[in-house]
Amino acid sequence: MVDSQYYLPNDIGVSALDCGEAFRLLSPQEKMYAHYLSRAAWYGGLAVLLQTSPESANIFVLLQRIFRKQTPSQLAQVATAAGLSSEDYQAFLVYAAGLYANMGNYKSFGDTKFIPNLPKADVWLPETLLCPLGRNCCLEDAELAQKFLDSKKLSAYNTRLFKRDDGGKACYEVRLASAVQKVDGECESCCGSFSFEDKEFTVKRGDYAPLMEKVCHYLQQAQAYAANENQRKMLEEYRRSFTLGSVEAHKEGSRYWIKDKGPIVESYIGFIESYRDPFGSRGEFEGFVAVVNKAMSERFAKLVSSAEVLLPELPWPREFEKDTFLKPDFTSLDVLTFAGSGIPAGINIPNYDDIRQSEGFKNVSLGNVLAVAYATQKEKLTFLEEDDKDLFIKWKGPSFEVQVGLHELLGHGSGKLFVQDDKGKFNFDQSKVINPETGEPVSSWYRGSETWDSKFSTIASTYEECRAECVGLYLCLNKQVLSIFGHEGQDAEDVVYVNWLSMVRAGLLGLEFYTPESKSWRQAHMQARFVILRVLLEAGEGLVGLEEVTGKDGMPDARITLDRSKIHTVGKNAIHRFLCKLQVFKSTADVDGGRALYDGYSTVSDSGAYNFLRLRETVLLRKEVRKMFVQANTRVSGDSVELVEYEGTVAGLISSFTERFQDDAEQLEADLLELSKRDAPCWC
């Protein structure tokens, strides 16, 4: 057996995402629209296999071929007859389900490689599965490539970077995700070979070409069932983006998406989140299709309506807030399809700074994910006082709903970036705007094509998640906010308490995602929560307590406490100061100041008042593995669309993936193997 950090346990939680009632309420046209969008998302999501590791696509194909021949229950009989124990066979199924759920052999939440919980002699899989992954691109290469892309006014979102040695000289290849290899005319000007800072760069189209071709095919079919012109134009621009490898076309599609207010079937697709890119600028593919939950969406609509009253409550000067708050859609959705490496609880998109600042965005809360993702049993609740556990279980769901709403709408949706465009025009009065941290006029800003992601690069994602989490903590203290979500009196105070308690506990749990050997964090949200824990511990005055204890089992344990009487005073003041700093550094493009602040609080050591390295070992000892989700499939039957649901087990999860791609399985598998083979020389 192997270290528990590197395998998924046999008793891992698996839940089916229930969207049956929501889907049944759709009209026949809406069902067709949802079906074809889902197909596009699922095929595009396979690109994540190639984004994750050199062996992921090969393992995926192997598993698909195994389970196409025999279902999990049929294979169990063969495995038992061959002498494999039921525990070992379950370990194999868990591994397979884990690879499907994460779209690769690395945990999407934490980027830790996982392998089967089996003796090596009992499993026949590629040897690379048991070896560390090597890459020949380092941070310096990524920085150089970003400069090159900026010089060509190309976004990194839909690219991959490869490096090869040509007679001792480093040569770089930038691949754009597209269905076609070449196009004629102006669109081709970005491709070709270029010399930049004494290095050779080649820009090529055609990355993931067979997958992008399938995405475009299904998007075209979805267009026939679009509800309005905005949806049709949105899908047309998405098709153009995935055909040509054009981020500009995707941005144009996103503009139509923002204009599509209150759709019954909501969706988004593309190379979106940059959490897992080591440099923080390339997007991982994801696509979702979901149905609006009208009752819950009414609460979020009230929050949107109150936004202009709540935004001035945030702790930065008015000049650091957007000139106009562009009221977005904010809906609660039941997920039908979420293709990619994992499913979040909420989303604020698009991620394009220029669109978010001046044209708007949308927020979504994924209701059926929230309903099952964070449910837990009292005996599995770690690091809390016994008196807190019942309250925590009762209010965790409602408090997280409030936090997600504030995090997405007023966290990611707030704050201004100071910009000087290519023509020298400023979007702020640099002679009048004062930096509240220095008392001096603002002296730095974003220039030209610089963006938040390209400027703050490696810390951009986690820094922004921390800022949004702090906004949630800060504004959940507002009685108007709590009333919008239906919480009054003592219930409202309990929601606040559990929300803050949940955050400090999450900060401790975050230590699982820190790697001492490289002194690096592997998960943006958990790093953010650890930073907030550090800020609240630093506030002192008994606000937060953290102590190492011995558990009832005689093993190391820890206890987190929170003085609820000091949340509105000591706690609020601490978040006020920290949140203002975060926003000022972000607004002014002060990378050095922002990095010094954030890296300081992110430090994990064995010195000082708390031995966080030792606490990390305790967290690993008592960790609870994240759940996996089983999603339904859709199938066209005559003129109607059927929903195919599966049981919430690892076998159900495996069957859902096997059936999802059964129509063209052999060709798809051949395409994936060929794509993997093409990448192979670039891995070391």
Side-chain angles (χ1 to χ4, degrees):
M1 300 296 173
V2 292
D3 188 320
S4 63
Q5 189 176 354
Y6 302 106
Y7 69 80
L8 305 175
N10 280 12
D11 62 351
I12 188 171
V14 183
S15 296
L17 284 183
D18 180 14
C19 63
E21 183 63 22
F23 186 80
R24 280 187 283 274
L25 292 174
L26 296 178
S27 70
Q29 177 182 342
E30 290 163 346
K31 288 179 180 178
M32 282 290 189
Y33 183 65
H35 167 73
Y36 288 116
L37 286 176
S38 293
R39 301 303 290 160
W42 285 122
Y43 277 92
L46 295 173
V48 178
L49 293 166
L50 299 156
Q51 292 182 298
T52 297
S53 73
E55 65 268 17
S56 287
N58 300 58
I59 302 170
F60 177 88
V61 170
L62 174 63
L63 293 173
Q64 288 289 90
R65 289 177 175 176
I66 290 172
F67 293 115
R68 274 197 293 115
K69 296 294 183 184
Q70 295 168 300
T71 66
S73 59
Q74 291 169 339
L75 188 60
Q77 299 173 25
V78 178
T80 302
L84 199 66
S85 69
S86 59
E87 291 79 8
D88 282 352
Y89 181 66
Q90 178 69 9
F92 167 67
L93 292 183
V94 166
Y95 174 77
L99 186 125
Y100 287 133
N102 291 278
M103 267 292 100
N105 61 334
Y106 281 71
K107 297 176 187 176
S108 63
F109 201 86
D111 280 323
T112 301
K113 192 172 190 173
F114 60 93
I115 63 177
N117 185 22
L118 293 166
K120 187 177 177 182
D122 288 354
V123 62
W124 183 74
L125 285 169
E127 180 64 24
T128 53
L129 189 78
L130 305 175
C131 299
L133 176 65
R135 296 180 175 87
N136 67 342
C137 280
C138 62
L139 185 60
E140 289 74 18
D141 296 311
E143 289 173 343
L144 177 65
Q146 186 63 54
K147 290 179 183 177
F148 166 73
L149 291 171
D150 288 344
S151 75
K152 303 295 292 182
K153 298 192 183 307
L154 279 173
S155 169
Y157 268 117
N158 67 340
T159 70
R160 285 195 295 168
L161 176 66
F162 295 86
K163 178 183 175 183
R164 59 182 173 83
D165 182 82
D166 185 7
K169 183 177 181 179
C171 298
Y172 300 92
E173 181 176 295
V174 177
R175 296 184 191 169
L176 308 179
S178 68
V180 300
Q181 302 283 345
K182 292 185 178 181
V183 294
D184 297 324
E186 185 179 342
C187 288
E188 189 60 21
S189 61
C190 67
C191 295
S193 297
F194 309 90
S195 180
F196 182 79
E197 295 191 5
D198 296 324
K199 299 289 191 299
E200 293 300 316
F201 278 84
T202 302
V203 182
K204 293 182 177 180
R205 285 189 171 85
D207 209 8
Y208 324 115
L211 302 179
M212 295 300 103
E213 187 176 344
K214 296 290 283 188
V215 172
C216 293
H217 168 73
Y218 285 117
L219 289 177
Q220 185 173 23
Q221 291 190 285
Q223 277 184 280
Y225 300 97
N228 54 57
E229 193 63 17
N230 279 325
Q231 288 184 359
R232 280 187 285 274
K233 289 180 177 178
M234 170 189 79
L235 296 179
E236 184 59 38
E237 291 298 331
Y238 288 164
R239 282 180 56 217
R240 191 162 71 90
S241 172
F242 300 132
T243 299
L244 304 177
S246 168
V247 170
E248 287 303 314
H250 194 268
K251 291 172 74 172
E252 194 62 27
S254 298
R255 291 185 172 98
Y256 286 117
W257 179 70
I258 293 169
K259 294 175 184 176
D260 184 28
K261 302 290 187 182
I264 300 300
V265 177
E266 184 63 280
S267 68
Y268 198 63
I269 189 170
F271 295 87
I272 311 301
E273 301 293 355
S274 58
Y275 300 126
R276 299 182 76 189
D277 176 38
F279 193 66
S281 61
R282 286 162 189 80
E284 185 177 57
F285 194 97
E286 69 179 41
F288 77 85
V289 184
V291 183
V292 171
N293 179 320
K294 292 183 179 179
M296 184 57 66
S297 295
E298 289 179 3
R299 295 183 182 178
F300 291 129
K302 290 179 182 178
L303 187 63
V304 171
S305 298
S306 303
E308 289 172 298
V309 175
L310 296 172
L311 281 170
E313 298 292 315
L314 292 171
W316 47 79
R318 181 178 56 81
E319 294 83 4
F320 285 72
E321 189 49 68
K322 294 174 185 175
D323 299 333
T324 303
F325 180 72
L326 302 168
K327 290 185 177 180
D329 257 12
F330 195 169
T331 50
S332 177
L333 306 174
D334 286 340
V335 171
L336 169 64
T337 294
F338 207 112
S341 66
I343 309 178
I347 317 170
N348 176 285
I349 39 183
N351 286 331
Y352 305 118
D353 290 337
D354 51 343
I355 294 178
R356 293 171 60 81
Q357 290 282 313
S358 60
E359 299 177 57
F361 52 90
K362 282 187 181 182
N363 295 277
V364 297
S365 174
L366 304 180
N368 57 345
V369 177
L370 283 169
V372 297
Y374 300 97
T376 190
Q377 299 169 330
K378 184 175 180 180
E379 58 269 22
K380 289 188 175 182
L381 260 184
T382 53
F383 310 131
L384 294 180
E385 296 278 10
E386 286 298 318
D387 291 345
D388 281 331
K389 289 184 178 180
D390 288 332
L391 201 64
F392 190 93
I393 290 172
K394 179 179 179 180
W395 293 110
K396 170 60 178 172
S399 69
F400 193 64
E401 179 184 278
V402 173
Q403 179 69 13
V404 168
L406 294 170
H407 173 115
E408 300 296 347
L409 176 66
L410 300 173
H412 292 315
S414 65
K416 181 173 182 174
L417 302 183
F418 296 144
V419 178
Q420 181 184 20
D421 65 22
D422 289 328
K423 297 179 181 179
K425 183 180 178 181
F426 290 87
N427 70 342
F428 69 103
D429 189 339
Q430 72 270 33
S431 67
K432 293 183 179 179
V433 177
I434 301 298
N435 182 326
E437 296 299 313
T438 65
E440 302 291 332
V442 166
S443 58
S444 58
W445 47 82
Y446 298 85
R447 302 171 189 271
S449 61
E450 290 179 341
T451 66
W452 162 250
D453 281 334
S454 69
K455 193 75 174 171
F456 279 72
S457 64
T458 55
I459 67 166
S461 291
T462 181
Y463 187 109
E464 174 60 12
E465 293 305 326
C466 186
R467 194 183 70 88
E469 291 283 45
C470 286
V471 168
L473 287 180
Y474 193 77
L475 289 180
C476 82
L477 303 177
N478 186 293
K479 290 184 178 180
Q480 180 181 353
V481 167
L482 295 165
S483 179
I484 287 171
F485 284 90
H487 307 304
E488 306 281 356
Q490 186 58 46
D491 286 354
E493 287 303 311
D494 287 344
V495 165
V496 169
Y497 176 64
V498 170
N499 193 36
W500 279 62
L501 181 63
S502 178
M503 186 64 68
V504 295
R505 176 176 180 264
L508 179 60
L509 296 178
L511 287 168
E512 174 189 344
F513 302 93
Y514 177 78
T515 304
E517 293 78 9
S518 59
K519 296 183 178 180
S520 62
W521 286 88
R522 307 188 311 275
Q523 214 293 320
H525 298 79
M526 300 310 286
Q527 179 181 357
R529 291 157 186 163
F530 176 77
V531 166
I532 292 170
L533 170 62
R534 290 282 310 275
V535 169
L536 295 177
L537 284 169
E538 182 183 82
E541 299 187 46
L543 173 67
V544 174
L546 172 59
E547 63 174 332
E548 296 180 71
V549 299
T550 300
K552 293 179 180 178
D553 56 4
M555 303 291 285
D557 206 340
R559 287 290 177 272
I560 280 274
T561 56
L562 173 69
D563 187 339
R564 65 190 301 162
S565 70
K566 296 179 180 177
I567 293 174
H568 287 268
T569 53
V570 179
K572 183 178 181 180
N573 290 338
I575 294 298
H576 182 287
R577 292 190 297 270
F578 182 61
L579 185 50
C580 185
K581 291 177 187 290
L582 290 175
Q583 183 58 49
V584 168
F585 290 137
K586 180 182 180 181
S587 291
T588 60
D590 186 351
V591 180
D592 292 339
R595 190 175 290 277
L597 174 74
Y598 202 73
D599 286 351
Y601 282 110
S602 298
T603 300
V604 177
S605 73
D606 55 4
S607 61
Y610 306 96
N611 189 329
F612 287 115
L613 283 175
R614 191 167 61 217
L615 281 164
R616 175 181 176 273
E617 296 302 316
T618 303
V619 169
L620 290 174
L621 176 69
R622 299 186 179 277
K623 70 175 183 178
E624 182 179 1
V625 179
R626 289 173 68 84
K627 291 180 180 177
M628 298 190 291
F629 298 114
V630 182
Q631 300 183 58
N633 285 322
T634 52
R635 180 172 59 207
V636 174
S637 177
D639 295 330
S640 62
V641 179
E642 298 175 351
L643 186 71
V644 184
E645 297 178 281
Y646 303 86
E647 61 182 10
T649 64
V650 289
L653 199 160
I654 290 167
S655 295
S656 73
F657 269 88
T658 309
E659 295 179 16
R660 192 162 285 144
F661 301 106
Q662 62 186 357
D663 293 344
D664 59 349
E666 292 187 3
Q667 183 59 55
L668 175 63
E669 290 160 12
D671 288 339
L672 285 171
L673 291 177
E674 182 58 33
L675 289 169
S676 181
K677 182 179 177 182
R678 179 189 176 194
D679 290 350
C682 302
W683 300 98
C684 61

